[in-house]
């Protein structure tokens, strides 16, 4: 999923494409990109950005739709380089 500097995986490729589309958009909109990183294993959700070992729950929020309650959300401004990735 992460890949390497010479062969990036799906996550950095997707983020590169997303930021490229935002930068090339011809409008006056402001964008905020938030990321979460979770593992689904044996029907259990785990937050890979948190140091706590807690099980996450899927909920339906009337304003945001389906969410993972308690998941860490980070604001992303760029795609991290391979040496910056720590999970």
């Amino acid at each position: 999923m992460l890949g390497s500097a010479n062969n990036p995986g799906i996550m950095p490729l997707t983020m590169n494409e997303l930021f490229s589309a935002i930068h090339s958009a011809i409008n006056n909109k402001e964008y905020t990109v938030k990321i979460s990183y979770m593992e689904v294993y044996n029907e259990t959700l785990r937050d890979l950005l948190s140091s706590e070992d807690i099980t996450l729950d899927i909920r339906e929020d009337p304003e945001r739709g389906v969410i993972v309650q308690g998941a860490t959300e980070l604001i992303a401004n760029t795609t991290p380089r391979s040496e910056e990735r720590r999970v």
Side-chain angles (χ1 to χ4, degrees):
M1 287 198 344
L2 295 175
S4 65
N6 295 333
N7 190 15
I10 187 86
M11 289 174 58
L13 290 173
T14 301
M15 289 181 70
N16 283 337
E17 187 68 27
L18 174 64
F19 286 117
S20 177
I22 289 171
H23 291 303
S24 66
I26 303 174
N27 58 39
N28 292 327
K29 293 182 182 178
E30 186 174 312
Y31 296 91
T32 302
V33 176
K34 295 181 182 181
I35 60 170
S36 294
Y37 191 39
M38 290 170 263
E39 172 187 68
V40 180
Y41 182 73
N42 285 339
E43 298 183 19
T44 302
L45 287 171
R46 195 168 67 108
D47 189 342
L48 297 176
L49 294 177
S50 174
S51 59
E52 298 178 27
D53 190 22
I54 58 172
T55 302
L56 302 172
D57 292 319
I58 298 174
R59 302 275 187 236
E60 189 166 349
D61 182 274
E63 294 179 14
R64 295 173 60 195
V66 177
I67 63 165
V68 178
Q69 185 175 355
T72 302
E73 287 185 340
L74 300 177
I75 295 177
N77 297 316
T78 61
T79 302
R81 295 186 311 261
S82 62
E83 62 271 11
E84 293 176 334
R85 295 185 199 126
R86 293 183 193 104
V87 175

